[in-house]
PDB file of all heavy atoms in Angstrom:
ATOM      1  N   HIS B  81       1.440  32.538  25.232  1.00 95.00           N
ATOM      2  CA  HIS B  81       1.876  32.648  23.842  1.00 95.00           C
ATOM      3  C   HIS B  81       2.490  34.007  23.524  1.00 95.00           C
ATOM      4  O   HIS B  81       3.433  34.105  22.728  1.00 95.00           O
ATOM      5  CB  HIS B  81       0.697  32.366  22.913  1.00 95.00           C
ATOM      6  CG  HIS B  81       1.065  32.433  21.468  1.00 95.00           C
ATOM      7  ND1 HIS B  81       1.922  31.519  20.853  1.00 95.00           N
ATOM      8  CD2 HIS B  81       0.734  33.323  20.503  1.00 95.00           C
ATOM      9  CE1 HIS B  81       2.067  31.835  19.592  1.00 95.00           C
ATOM     10  NE2 HIS B  81       1.360  32.928  19.338  1.00 95.00           N
ATOM     11  N   ASP B  82       1.981  35.061  24.153  1.00 95.00           N
ATOM     12  CA  ASP B  82       2.468  36.414  23.878  1.00 95.00           C
ATOM     13  C   ASP B  82       3.939  36.608  24.237  1.00 95.00           C
ATOM     14  O   ASP B  82       4.556  37.593  23.814  1.00 95.00           O
ATOM     15  CB  ASP B  82       1.630  37.450  24.637  1.00 95.00           C
ATOM     16  CG  ASP B  82       0.257  37.637  24.017  1.00 95.00           C
ATOM     17  OD1 ASP B  82       0.041  37.106  22.902  1.00 95.00           O
ATOM     18  OD2 ASP B  82      -0.592  38.303  24.625  1.00 95.00           O
ATOM     19  N   LEU B  83       4.493  35.706  25.021  1.00 96.00           N
ATOM     20  CA  LEU B  83       5.907  35.822  25.371  1.00 96.00           C
ATOM     21  C   LEU B  83       6.824  35.277  24.283  1.00 96.00           C
ATOM     22  O   LEU B  83       8.043  35.398  24.385  1.00 96.00           O
ATOM     23  CB  LEU B  83       6.185  35.089  26.682  1.00 96.00           C
ATOM     24  CG  LEU B  83       5.596  35.717  27.948  1.00 96.00           C
ATOM     25  CD1 LEU B  83       5.920  34.875  29.163  1.00 96.00           C
ATOM     26  CD2 LEU B  83       6.116  37.138  28.127  1.00 96.00           C
ATOM     27  N   SER B  84       6.268  34.690  23.258  1.00 96.00           N
ATOM     28  CA  SER B  84       7.081  34.154  22.158  1.00 96.00           C
ATOM     29  C   SER B  84       7.853  35.290  21.490  1.00 96.00           C
ATOM     30  O   SER B  84       7.259  36.258  21.007  1.00 96.00           O
ATOM     31  CB  SER B  84       6.188  33.455  21.129  1.00 96.00           C
ATOM     32  OG  SER B  84       5.539  32.345  21.698  1.00 96.00           O
ATOM     33  N   ALA B  85       9.172  35.171  21.480  1.00 96.00           N
ATOM     34  CA  ALA B  85      10.053  36.207  20.933  1.00 96.00           C
ATOM     35  C   ALA B  85      11.491  35.717  21.102  1.00 96.00           C
ATOM     36  O   ALA B  85      11.728  34.636  21.629  1.00 96.00           O
ATOM     37  CB  ALA B  85       9.863  37.526  21.670  1.00 96.00           C
ATOM     38  N   THR B  86      12.441  36.538  20.659  1.00 96.00           N
ATOM     39  CA  THR B  86      13.845  36.258  20.940  1.00 96.00           C
ATOM     40  C   THR B  86      14.301  37.167  22.070  1.00 96.00           C
ATOM     41  O   THR B  86      14.021  38.364  22.051  1.00 96.00           O
ATOM     42  CB  THR B  86      14.715  36.486  19.691  1.00 96.00           C
ATOM     43  OG1 THR B  86      14.293  35.594  18.663  1.00 96.00           O
ATOM     44  CG2 THR B  86      16.187  36.209  20.015  1.00 96.00           C
ATOM     45  N   TYR B  87      14.988  36.608  23.032  1.00 97.00           N
ATOM     46  CA  TYR B  87      15.446  37.349  24.199  1.00 97.00           C
ATOM     47  C   TYR B  87      16.972  37.435  24.185  1.00 97.00           C
ATOM     48  O   TYR B  87      17.666  36.443  23.987  1.00 97.00           O
ATOM     49  CB  TYR B  87      14.954  36.678  25.482  1.00 97.00           C
ATOM     50  CG  TYR B  87      13.457  36.767  25.635  1.00 97.00           C
ATOM     51  CD1 TYR B  87      12.623  35.842  25.017  1.00 97.00           C
ATOM     52  CD2 TYR B  87      12.868  37.801  26.350  1.00 97.00           C
ATOM     53  CE1 TYR B  87      11.250  35.930  25.112  1.00 97.00           C
ATOM     54  CE2 TYR B  87      11.488  37.902  26.456  1.00 97.00           C
ATOM     55  CZ  TYR B  87      10.687  36.966  25.834  1.00 97.00           C
ATOM     56  OH  TYR B  87       9.316  37.064  25.927  1.00 97.00           O
ATOM     57  N   PHE B  88      17.470  38.642  24.386  1.00 97.00           N
ATOM     58  CA  PHE B  88      18.912  38.892  24.411  1.00 97.00           C
ATOM     59  C   PHE B  88      19.320  39.440  25.765  1.00 97.00           C
ATOM     60  O   PHE B  88      18.638  40.300  26.325  1.00 97.00           O
ATOM     61  CB  PHE B  88      19.304  39.928  23.352  1.00 97.00           C
ATOM     62  CG  PHE B  88      19.171  39.465  21.935  1.00 97.00           C
ATOM     63  CD1 PHE B  88      18.031  39.777  21.196  1.00 97.00           C
ATOM     64  CD2 PHE B  88      20.175  38.725  21.331  1.00 97.00           C
ATOM     65  CE1 PHE B  88      17.904  39.366  19.875  1.00 97.00           C
ATOM     66  CE2 PHE B  88      20.049  38.310  20.013  1.00 97.00           C
ATOM     67  CZ  PHE B  88      18.912  38.627  19.292  1.00 97.00           C
ATOM     68  N   CYS B  89      20.456  38.980  26.253  1.00 96.00           N
ATOM     69  CA  CYS B  89      21.086  39.633  27.388  1.00 96.00           C
ATOM     70  C   CYS B  89      22.276  40.432  26.851  1.00 96.00           C
ATOM     71  O   CYS B  89      22.841  40.082  25.804  1.00 96.00           O
ATOM     72  CB  CYS B  89      21.549  38.633  28.436  1.00 96.00           C
ATOM     73  SG  CYS B  89      22.857  37.510  27.907  1.00 96.00           S
ATOM     74  N   ALA B  90      22.641  41.485  27.568  1.00 94.00           N
ATOM     75  CA  ALA B  90      23.742  42.342  27.100  1.00 94.00           C
ATOM     76  C   ALA B  90      24.421  42.978  28.301  1.00 94.00           C
ATOM     77  O   ALA B  90      23.901  43.955  28.860  1.00 94.00           O
ATOM     78  CB  ALA B  90      23.233  43.412  26.138  1.00 94.00           C
ATOM     79  N   PRO B  91      25.562  42.451  28.719  1.00 92.00           N
ATOM     80  CA  PRO B  91      26.317  43.127  29.773  1.00 92.00           C
ATOM     81  C   PRO B  91      26.974  44.393  29.240  1.00 92.00           C
ATOM     82  O   PRO B  91      27.293  44.489  28.043  1.00 92.00           O
ATOM     83  CB  PRO B  91      27.373  42.099  30.178  1.00 92.00           C
ATOM     84  CG  PRO B  91      27.494  41.184  29.006  1.00 92.00           C
ATOM     85  CD  PRO B  91      26.170  41.186  28.320  1.00 92.00           C
ATOM     86  N   TYR B  92      27.129  45.339  30.131  1.00 87.00           N
ATOM     87  CA  TYR B  92      27.751  46.616  29.771  1.00 87.00           C
ATOM     88  C   TYR B  92      29.211  46.628  30.204  1.00 87.00           C
ATOM     89  O   TYR B  92      29.551  46.195  31.303  1.00 87.00           O
ATOM     90  CB  TYR B  92      27.023  47.765  30.449  1.00 87.00           C
ATOM     91  CG  TYR B  92      27.821  49.045  30.502  1.00 87.00           C
ATOM     92  CD1 TYR B  92      28.109  49.752  29.338  1.00 87.00           C
ATOM     93  CD2 TYR B  92      28.303  49.548  31.712  1.00 87.00           C
ATOM     94  CE1 TYR B  92      28.839  50.918  29.374  1.00 87.00           C
ATOM     95  CE2 TYR B  92      29.031  50.716  31.760  1.00 87.00           C
ATOM     96  CZ  TYR B  92      29.307  51.399  30.598  1.00 87.00           C
ATOM     97  OH  TYR B  92      30.042  52.548  30.636  1.00 87.00           O
ATOM     98  N   TYR B  93      30.048  47.153  29.316  1.00 83.00           N
ATOM     99  CA  TYR B  93      31.455  47.320  29.631  1.00 83.00           C
ATOM    100  C   TYR B  93      31.832  48.772  29.449  1.00 83.00           C
ATOM    101  O   TYR B  93      31.667  49.337  28.370  1.00 83.00           O
ATOM    102  CB  TYR B  93      32.325  46.406  28.755  1.00 83.00           C
ATOM    103  CG  TYR B  93      32.055  44.953  29.056  1.00 83.00           C
ATOM    104  CD1 TYR B  93      31.163  44.223  28.276  1.00 83.00           C
ATOM    105  CD2 TYR B  93      32.643  44.333  30.148  1.00 83.00           C
ATOM    106  CE1 TYR B  93      30.888  42.905  28.573  1.00 83.00           C
ATOM    107  CE2 TYR B  93      32.374  43.011  30.451  1.00 83.00           C
ATOM    108  CZ  TYR B  93      31.494  42.302  29.663  1.00 83.00           C
ATOM    109  OH  TYR B  93      31.215  41.000  29.960  1.00 83.00           O
ATOM    110  N   GLY B  94      32.319  49.386  30.512  1.00 73.00           N
ATOM    111  CA  GLY B  94      32.644  50.801  30.469  1.00 73.00           C
ATOM    112  C   GLY B  94      34.094  51.029  30.146  1.00 73.00           C
ATOM    113  O   GLY B  94      34.771  50.199  29.546  1.00 73.00           O
ATOM    114  N   GLY B  95      34.593  52.191  30.562  1.00 66.00           N
ATOM    115  CA  GLY B  95      35.975  52.536  30.308  1.00 66.00           C
ATOM    116  C   GLY B  95      36.232  52.685  28.825  1.00 66.00           C
ATOM    117  O   GLY B  95      35.466  53.311  28.109  1.00 66.00           O
ATOM    118  N   ALA B  96      37.307  52.112  28.357  1.00 62.00           N
ATOM    119  CA  ALA B  96      37.670  52.239  26.945  1.00 62.00           C
ATOM    120  C   ALA B  96      36.687  51.513  26.044  1.00 62.00           C
ATOM    121  O   ALA B  96      36.570  51.816  24.865  1.00 62.00           O
ATOM    122  CB  ALA B  96      39.082  51.691  26.727  1.00 62.00           C
ATOM    123  N   THR B  97      35.967  50.553  26.574  1.00 60.00           N
ATOM    124  CA  THR B  97      35.038  49.780  25.759  1.00 60.00           C
ATOM    125  C   THR B  97      33.728  50.525  25.588  1.00 60.00           C
ATOM    126  O   THR B  97      33.300  50.799  24.476  1.00 60.00           O
ATOM    127  CB  THR B  97      34.783  48.408  26.382  1.00 60.00           C
ATOM    128  OG1 THR B  97      36.027  47.790  26.663  1.00 60.00           O
ATOM    129  CG2 THR B  97      33.974  47.549  25.444  1.00 60.00           C
ATOM    130  N   ASN B  98      33.082  50.853  26.687  1.00 66.00           N
ATOM    131  CA  ASN B  98      31.896  51.688  26.708  1.00 66.00           C
ATOM    132  C   ASN B  98      30.828  51.230  25.734  1.00 66.00           C
ATOM    133  O   ASN B  98      30.385  51.986  24.862  1.00 66.00           O
ATOM    134  CB  ASN B  98      32.275  53.141  26.413  1.00 66.00           C
ATOM    135  CG  ASN B  98      31.146  54.085  26.778  1.00 66.00           C
ATOM    136  OD1 ASN B  98      30.358  53.794  27.661  1.00 66.00           O
ATOM    137  ND2 ASN B  98      31.078  55.208  26.112  1.00 66.00           N
ATOM    138  N   LYS B  99      30.412  49.969  25.876  1.00 82.00           N
ATOM    139  CA  LYS B  99      29.389  49.481  24.969  1.00 82.00           C
ATOM    140  C   LYS B  99      28.715  48.264  25.565  1.00 82.00           C
ATOM    141  O   LYS B  99      29.166  47.680  26.542  1.00 82.00           O
ATOM    142  CB  LYS B  99      30.001  49.121  23.625  1.00 82.00           C
ATOM    143  CG  LYS B  99      31.040  48.015  23.698  1.00 82.00           C
ATOM    144  CD  LYS B  99      31.759  47.855  22.368  1.00 82.00           C
ATOM    145  CE  LYS B  99      32.862  46.821  22.465  1.00 82.00           C
ATOM    146  NZ  LYS B  99      33.719  46.792  21.267  1.00 82.00           N
ATOM    147  N   LEU B 100      27.610  47.897  24.952  1.00 87.00           N
ATOM    148  CA  LEU B 100      26.918  46.665  25.295  1.00 87.00           C
ATOM    149  C   LEU B 100      27.413  45.553  24.385  1.00 87.00           C
ATOM    150  O   LEU B 100      27.594  45.767  23.183  1.00 87.00           O
ATOM    151  CB  LEU B 100      25.412  46.831  25.115  1.00 87.00           C
ATOM    152  CG  LEU B 100      24.687  47.816  26.024  1.00 87.00           C
ATOM    153  CD1 LEU B 100      23.231  47.923  25.612  1.00 87.00           C
ATOM    154  CD2 LEU B 100      24.801  47.383  27.469  1.00 87.00           C
TER     155      LEU B 100
END
Side-chain angles (χ1 to χ4, degrees):
Chain B
H81 181 67
D82 286 350
L83 290 179
S84 297
T86 298
Y87 293 84
F88 291 97
C89 65
Y92 162 68
Y93 295 96
T97 309
N98 195 28
K99 62 189 176 189
L100 295 175

